[in-house]
Amino acid sequence: KINIHYGDRCQNEVADINSSEDDLNRAIKASTIKQGPPFTAEEFQNIWSKSGPSGLITEQIEYGRLVRKANSALKGSENQGKAIYGRTLFSAFEKIINHKSVKLKSNDIFLDIGHGIGNNCLAAAFTVGCESRGIEVVEDRHIVAEEYKKNLFEAVESIARTECVKRQVGKVELRMGSLSDPFHRQFFTDADVTIVNNAQGIFSCRSEVKNRATLDDYVAGIFASMKPGARMITFYPLYNLGRSLCEENKDRRRRGLEDSVDASFFVHERFDLGKDSVSWSLGKNIEVDLYTRVAQTDLDGSGKALFLCNSKQCSGEGIATAALCDETGLLIENCVLCGQIRPKNTRGKRRGKQAICTPVKSSKASAKRL
């Protein structure tokens, strides 16, 4: 049984880190410390291995009660019955952020929904140098993540003073809260690259609360709120997003309708991470789904996600309508003009080969918008 005592010092972590950063920045301006590149993946993993709370290694922490107790039940949440823990290994995280369709850059904002002990957020900030954000609903996991963050930034300060080089490390903000809370909406939607560990249905059927929207429902709404070009990587398909632009246009052609960029607000592809990629399934091959927001007809400059009904009986044929309900933060499931239910993919298509499509170029004249 592992016990970790944190005390009240966690409340002052951000102020302490900012104070140290200010000291280093003043030293850089005085030319005593030079600005250097981000850490390599190997360098970061070495620092991480020495930064565990109370000197513990990652495996000791994550198999302790602090991290695992919410696996069976999560108290105080209206939309989530449990919060099952799992960690993306650093080798797999590198594959994700360096994938040809992701390419996380230093001027991007990275987001981890369900940041756990903070490994993805901190790896992004330290190895890419980008701003990094995370949210976690389990308080004890969040506390562990903040301890890792504090220890890692202290290590950066020590290295800077020893080597006279301050490495490029991005700003890190970790929040404790629910992804269904509208207070965090802009915190999410500013992101350029997002990772969601919703593996094996843990954000849907395995944690759902009766008569409530699932976490995957909220994740889909967050993605629809993001700007064109934003990428979201999930460990389980977001079936509730509906069909991709390629799939919708294929259906339009079958119905004798022209292709349109407003048919759907995203393109989708799937890629392998290989074996030994995640803590919950070592030795098994892991696939992830990549969703990319596309540019659509944008008459008012809002960049809002749009749907286009494919029914020939729809009174608004050719009129694009909003995909998202701003009030709830959830996707609109029916055509607002004819009432037809938006088509969705099914679980049976999970292992099928997914074609990578080239989006139709957007045009202000491509469709009317409601």
Side-chain angles (χ1 to χ4, degrees), residues 37 40 87 116 131 142 151 157 170 183 293 305 342:
T40 66
R87 174 171 54 92
E131 181 179 344
H142 176 71
N151 294 343
E157 182 181 353
F183 173 78
R293 278 276 281 113
R342 307 285 189 194

Side-chain angles (χ1 to χ4, degrees), residues 296-316:
Q296 298 178 284
T297 300
D298 194 1
L299 300 178
D300 59 6
S302 65
K304 287 187 176 180
L306 304 175
F307 277 134
L308 192 59
C309 188
N310 286 355
S311 173
K312 285 188 174 182
Q313 285 71 47
C314 182
S315 61

Side-chain angles (χ1 to χ4, degrees), residues 12-304:
N12 300 313
E13 283 178 7
V14 174
D16 292 343
I17 290 171
N18 289 340
S19 177
S20 298
E21 286 288 296
D22 291 341
D23 291 342
L24 285 175
N25 288 333
R26 282 192 290 271
I28 290 172
K29 289 180 180 178
S31 300
T32 58
I33 297 179
K34 297 180 180 180
Q35 183 72 55
F39 290 91
T40 66
E42 184 178 357
E43 288 172 332
F44 173 73
Q45 289 178 51
N46 183 49
I47 301 170
W48 172 274
S49 68
K50 301 173 184 177
S51 299
S54 301
L56 298 172
I57 64 172
T58 302
E59 289 75 15
Q60 288 175 309
I61 294 167
E62 65 187 3
Y63 281 103
R65 178 171 168 74
L66 279 176
V67 170
R68 295 253 168 200
K69 66 180 181 181
N71 283 0
S72 55
L74 179 65
K75 296 180 180 180
S77 175
E78 295 182 353
N79 298 95
Q80 189 173 358
K82 59 182 73 173
I84 301 171
Y85 175 80
R87 174 171 54 92
T88 307
L89 304 189
F90 289 124
S91 58
F93 181 72
E94 286 294 305
K95 289 180 182 178
I96 291 172
I97 63 174
N98 291 319
H99 187 271
K100 62 182 180 180
S101 299
V102 179
K103 291 293 182 184
L104 182 66
K105 303 182 294 295
S106 60
N107 60 347
D108 285 335
I109 296 176
F110 171 78
L111 171 67
D112 188 4
I113 293 180
H115 68 62
I117 61 174
N119 47 295
N120 288 341
C121 292
L122 292 162
F126 276 67
T127 65
V128 179
C130 64
E131 181 179 344
S132 191
R133 302 176 179 182
I135 190 162
E136 173 58 52
V137 72
V138 180
E139 182 178 11
D140 289 327
R141 295 173 192 171
H142 176 71
I143 291 173
V144 172
E146 288 285 8
E147 281 288 304
Y148 263 114
K149 173 184 169 182
K150 178 179 182 295
N151 294 343
L152 283 163
F153 273 95
E154 286 178 352
V156 169
E157 182 181 353
S158 176
I159 292 169
R161 298 191 185 284
T162 301
E163 300 179 355
C164 294
V165 175
K166 182 193 176 186
R167 300 299 191 92
Q168 180 185 347
V169 177
K171 174 186 175 183
V172 179
E173 183 177 355
L174 304 175
R175 293 185 180 181
M176 192 191 77
S178 171
L179 59 88
S180 63
D181 187 344
F183 173 78
H184 304 294
R185 193 168 297 172
Q186 188 169 351
F187 182 73
F188 301 145
T189 57
D190 286 342
D192 298 285
V193 175
T194 302
I195 286 183
V196 185
N197 178 7
N198 60 342
Q200 301 174 353
I202 61 174
F203 271 27
S204 53
C205 58
R206 293 179 65 192
S207 65
E208 66 182 336
V209 175
K210 189 177 181 179
N211 299 324
R212 295 278 187 174
T214 68
L215 297 183
D216 272 348
D217 290 331
Y218 283 103
V219 170
I222 290 167
F223 175 67
S225 301
M226 291 176 169
K227 56 186 173 288
R231 289 88 74 201
M232 178 176 279
I233 301 94
T234 69
F235 283 80
Y236 196 74
L238 292 175
Y239 296 114
N240 45 4
L241 275 180
R243 298 189 301 203
S244 70
L245 185 60
C246 292
E247 293 168 318
E248 285 291 349
N249 278 327
K250 182 178 179 180
D251 185 58
R252 290 181 65 80
R253 290 192 294 271
R254 184 178 64 83
R255 294 170 182 262
L257 301 170
E258 291 184 357
D259 283 16
S260 172
V261 72
D262 296 326
S264 182
F265 58 88
F266 69 94
V267 292
H268 170 237
E269 62 182 284
R270 186 174 297 131
F271 62 92
D272 288 335
L273 296 182
K275 297 180 179 180
D276 299 327
S277 298
V278 294
S279 65
W280 64 89
S281 217
L282 292 172
K284 293 185 179 179
N285 192 66
I286 298 296
E287 289 182 329
V288 292
D289 292 271
L290 169 61
Y291 301 90
T292 303
R293 278 276 281 113
V294 298
Q296 298 178 284
T297 300
D298 194 1
L299 300 178
D300 59 6
S302 65
K304 287 187 176 180

Side-chain angles (χ1 to χ4, degrees), residues 252 257 308-321 334-340 342 368-370:
R252 290 181 65 80
L257 301 170
L308 192 59
C309 188
N310 286 355
S311 173
K312 285 188 174 182
Q313 285 71 47
C314 182
S315 61
E317 183 180 344
I319 298 178
T321 61
N334 300 75
C335 174
V336 297
L337 298 171
C338 71
Q340 178 170 291
R342 307 285 189 194
K368 298 178 182 179
R369 179 178 169 186
L370 184 63

